[in-house]
């Protein structure tokens, strides 16, 4: 799967010794979700005390068959004792009660003893409150402090471990299960150091083994790379998939659509007739729209031709704007729909040689943020997913030094796989994930770029 041979070397017997001796980066082989797996956590899960943790305990036994509590016995859980307890695969810490700076020491007291007991590819989730929702400035400041802590802890994790902070609004507690099924499992293998807010959402997943059952999804640019992985993953999760790509790659597109039992649409998203063809191609409507088609035409601005500039803005930004608008106005995108825009960390940090591409991807982030409140009434969410360095044909073609820098300059010390992006899209597509809207989810291994 991965073309990163350094990971294989660093995890071999000789490589491990050599890498340790000369202080080279030692990226772990990340654990990923395998088809057919049922439990999000295969190993021990530790849950702290606290009001949000109490909600987690209501469903924790559906996530793992080895549940432990911190400090005291809780119903259905055994007390975990540092140095004696089993290694931890998943950890949930409720930081929502930290409202004064004196209480921040609970973070050190909780995490320090368990850091040496983390299993391979362990996932940590800290639960808190969005500072903007707290009226007391000192409480808001304390919750902001938790963010700095979680992002730093993410950088100190070893052996493929990740850390996220979830801000849980009052009334959003029932959406914790979907979020933890994602962030505590290998589905989020390449995501770390993220802060995501959960708000109230009236819909919920009915069957966790097929969370997208009964939903129809459109994926643009689905013939290969990340788009093909998204189509496979949404189909795995029960969605009926409609794959779109340019007519030139119809053979690949048709073959994949046939394998996934879906439909294919040969449309150039920049064509004048694209919106009409799309609406006609989706007579029964659509619940999930993934704007994945994207191109790069890199040049420094001084050498950038009008053709390079225009084509990138047309495919990456203008087409998603026009098509989403048409799908909304025609009623093709149904209520409680999910729109996911494939942005990039270049759109957050900027990138030399990519003024056109970064502008287009930043524009998509702006689109998600601005449109989200307007679509809330219909229960439609719109979010951006910002991949970092993903092992695809696009990154395989990069010059060696850039490719190596892209891979190693992240907390996980490696590139991600198309599946990592696809899993994030699949989570944001779920009925319950309307709890997340107008946000950017980075899938970048906590890349230092734009962090
Ligand atoms: P890719 O080039 O492998 O695939 C893109 C697909 O989009 C192709 O099948 C192509 O035919 C299709 N497409 C291009 N123009 C189109 C048009 N006008 N109409 C319809 N389809 C069109 O790219 P990828 O690496 O899989 O990237 C997918 C998305 O993820 C892109 O939006 C890209 O910008 C973004 N992304 C990728 C990376 C990475 O590391 N690969 C990083 C950040 C963001």
């Amino acid at each position: 799967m991965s073309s990163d041979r350094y990971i294989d070397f660093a995890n071999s017997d000789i490589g491990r010794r050599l890498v340790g001796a000369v202080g080279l980066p030692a990226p772990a082989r990340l654990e990923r979700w395998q088809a057919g797996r049922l439990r999000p956590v295969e190993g021990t899960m530790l849950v702290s005390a606290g009001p949000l943790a109490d909600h987690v305990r209501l469903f924790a036994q559906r996530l793992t068959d080895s549940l432990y509590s911190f400090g005291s016995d809780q119903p259905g859980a055994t007390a975990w004792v540092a140095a004696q307890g089993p290694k931890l695969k998943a950890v949930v810490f409720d930081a929502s009660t930290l409202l004064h700076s004196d209480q921040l020491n609970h973070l050190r007291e909780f995490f320090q003893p368990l850091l040496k007991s983390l299993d391979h590819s362990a996932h940590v989730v800290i639960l808190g409150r969005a500072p903007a929702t707290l009226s007391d400035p000192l409480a808001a400041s304390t919750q902001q402090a938790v963010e700095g802590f979680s992002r730093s802890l993410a950088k100190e994790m070893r052996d493929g471990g990740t850390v996220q902070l979830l801000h849980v609004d009052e009334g959003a507690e029932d959406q914790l299960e979907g979020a933890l099924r994602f962030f505590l499992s290998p589905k989020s293998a390449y995501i770390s150091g993220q802060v995501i807010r959960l708000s109230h959402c009236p819909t919920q997943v009915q069957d966790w083994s097929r969370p997208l059952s009964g939903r129809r999804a459109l994926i643009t640019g689905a013939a290969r790379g990340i788009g093909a992985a998204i189509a496979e993953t949404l189909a795995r999760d029960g969605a009926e998939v409609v794959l779109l790509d340019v007519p030139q790659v119809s053979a690949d597109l048709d073959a994949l659509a046939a394998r996934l039992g879906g439909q294919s649409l040969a449309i150039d998203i920049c064509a004048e007739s694209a919106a009409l063809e799309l609406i006609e191609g989706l007579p029964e409507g659509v619940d999930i729209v993934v704007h994945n088609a994207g191109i790069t035409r890199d040049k420094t601005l001084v050498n950038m031709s009008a053709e390079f500039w225009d084509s990138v803005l047309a495919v990456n930004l203008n087409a998603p704007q026009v098509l989403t608008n048409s799908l909304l106005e025609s009623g093709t995108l149904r209520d409680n729909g999910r729109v996911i825009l494939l942005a990039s960390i270049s759109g957050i940090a900027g990138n030399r040689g990519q003024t056109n591409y970064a502008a287009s991807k930043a524009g998509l982030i702006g689109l998600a943020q601005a449109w989200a409140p307007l679509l809330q009434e219909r229960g439609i969410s719109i979010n951006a997913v910002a991949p970092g360095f993903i092992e695809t044909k696009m990154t395989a073609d990069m010059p060696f030094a850039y490719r190596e820098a892209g891979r190693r300059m992240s907390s996980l010390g490696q590139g991600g796989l198309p599946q990592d992006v696809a899993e994030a899209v699949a989570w944001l597509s779920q009925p319950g994930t309307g709890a997340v809207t107008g946000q950017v989810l980075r899938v970048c291994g906590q890349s230092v770029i734009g962090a």
Side-chain angles (χ1 to χ4, degrees):
M1 278 267 268
S2 161
S3 56
D4 185 353
R5 275 185 261 147
Y6 179 75
I7 297 186
D8 299 335
F9 170 70
N11 285 285
S12 67
D13 284 345
I14 301 175
R16 209 171 290 127
R17 265 178 274 147
L18 198 69
V19 159
V22 293
L24 285 167
R29 215 189 294 275
L30 303 182
E31 185 186 341
R32 291 196 163 83
W33 186 270
Q34 303 292 330
R37 177 174 165 157
L38 293 174
R39 290 231 180 232
V41 180
E42 279 179 2
T44 297
M45 173 170 164
L46 178 71
V47 181
S48 77
L52 289 175
D54 289 341
H55 283 278
V56 175
R57 259 183 285 281
L58 297 176
F59 58 80
Q61 275 156 335
R62 293 201 285 269
L63 270 50
T64 178
D65 49 18
S66 175
L67 184 62
Y68 278 72
S69 63
F70 189 80
S72 62
D73 273 326
Q74 303 276 352
T78 316
W80 187 83
V81 181
Q84 287 176 27
K87 287 217 170 229
L88 301 170
K89 197 74 180 171
V91 178
V92 176
F93 179 72
D94 184 352
S96 68
T97 53
L98 309 184
L99 300 174
H100 192 276
S101 54
D102 286 352
Q103 297 169 315
L104 287 169
N105 63 358
H106 293 316
L107 291 167
R108 196 181 68 84
E109 287 165 5
F110 178 83
F111 281 105
Q112 199 177 55
L114 61 79
L115 287 176
K116 289 197 173 131
S117 300
L118 292 179
D119 211 342
H120 170 66
S121 284
H123 300 295
V124 172
V125 170
I126 301 175
L127 305 175
R129 300 289 189 197
T133 62
L134 300 172
S135 51
D136 173 6
L138 298 188
S141 149
T142 306
Q143 283 295 309
Q144 192 72 38
V146 176
E147 183 174 325
F149 172 85
S150 70
R151 289 189 197 274
S152 301
L153 183 60
K155 293 189 173 179
E156 293 183 13
M157 294 291 275
R158 293 172 172 207
D159 201 16
T162 68
V163 180
Q164 333 290 342
L165 173 60
L166 293 184
H167 285 150
V168 186
D169 284 0
E170 305 272 355
E173 295 82 359
D174 59 350
Q175 297 302 338
L176 274 168
E177 180 167 358
L180 292 186
R181 279 176 176 271
F182 178 64
F183 284 117
L184 293 180
S185 82
K187 288 183 176 174
S188 60
Y190 195 59
I191 302 179
S192 198
Q194 296 303 291
V195 183
I196 291 291
R197 180 168 170 183
L198 300 181
S199 306
H200 170 72
C201 175
T203 48
Q204 182 56 290
V205 170
Q206 299 302 318
D207 171 3
W208 289 110
S209 67
R210 284 173 76 76
L212 303 179
S213 174
R215 306 216 126 201
R216 172 183 281 226
L218 168 74
I219 304 109
T220 70
R224 65 172 197 214
I226 294 172
I230 293 171
E232 300 226 15
T233 308
L234 298 188
R236 175 202 71 189
D237 283 355
E240 201 183 308
V241 288
V242 182
L243 283 63
L244 179 153
D245 212 303
V246 288
Q248 295 89 309
V249 297
S250 279
D252 287 348
L253 193 71
D254 291 346
L256 182 59
R259 185 157 67 75
L260 301 178
Q263 179 192 339
S264 61
L265 291 175
I267 298 175
D268 180 334
I269 55 171
C270 297
E272 195 96 14
S273 57
L276 201 60
E277 283 180 60
L278 194 54
I279 292 164
E280 282 174 5
L282 298 165
E284 292 161 50
V286 68
D287 305 289
I288 300 159
V289 178
V290 185
H291 290 290
N292 163 81
I295 58 169
T296 50
R297 296 286 184 273
D298 296 355
K299 280 281 176 206
T300 52
L301 187 62
V302 76
N303 296 316
M304 175 85 62
S305 67
E307 197 273 325
F308 269 28
W309 179 271
D310 292 346
S311 56
V312 167
L313 269 299
V315 177
N316 295 7
L317 182 59
N318 190 55
Q321 290 177 346
V322 169
L323 297 183
T324 309
N325 218 2
S326 306
L327 291 172
L328 280 166
E329 281 182 355
S330 61
T332 307
L333 180 59
R334 294 196 275 245
D335 285 0
N336 299 314
R338 304 278 171 262
V339 181
I340 295 126
L341 305 157
L342 265 288
S344 162
I345 57 171
S346 290
I348 297 169
N351 202 12
R352 188 184 146 81
Q354 291 198 319
T355 48
N356 52 353
Y357 183 77
S360 71
K361 297 301 188 182
L364 291 179
I365 292 171
L367 194 64
Q369 290 168 341
W371 226 332
L374 307 177
L375 299 179
Q376 218 145 15
E377 206 173 295
R378 290 183 55 193
I380 297 172
S381 69
I382 178 167
N383 292 289
V385 166
F389 184 99
I390 305 297
E391 303 283 354
T392 59
K393 188 174 176 309
M394 185 177 108
T395 47
D397 291 344
M398 285 166 78
F400 174 79
Y402 283 99
R403 192 166 67 236
E404 268 311 285
R407 282 174 173 156
R408 308 297 162 222
M409 280 168 54
S410 68
S411 299
L412 291 169
Q414 59 195 286
L417 300 181
Q419 185 195 349
D420 298 324
V421 182
E423 297 287 5
V425 171
W427 174 60
L428 288 168
S429 300
Q430 290 181 1
T433 319
V436 178
T437 191
Q439 299 186 51
V440 187
L441 177 59
R442 293 171 57 129
V443 183
C444 67
Q446 201 179 26
S447 170
V448 297
I449 297 166

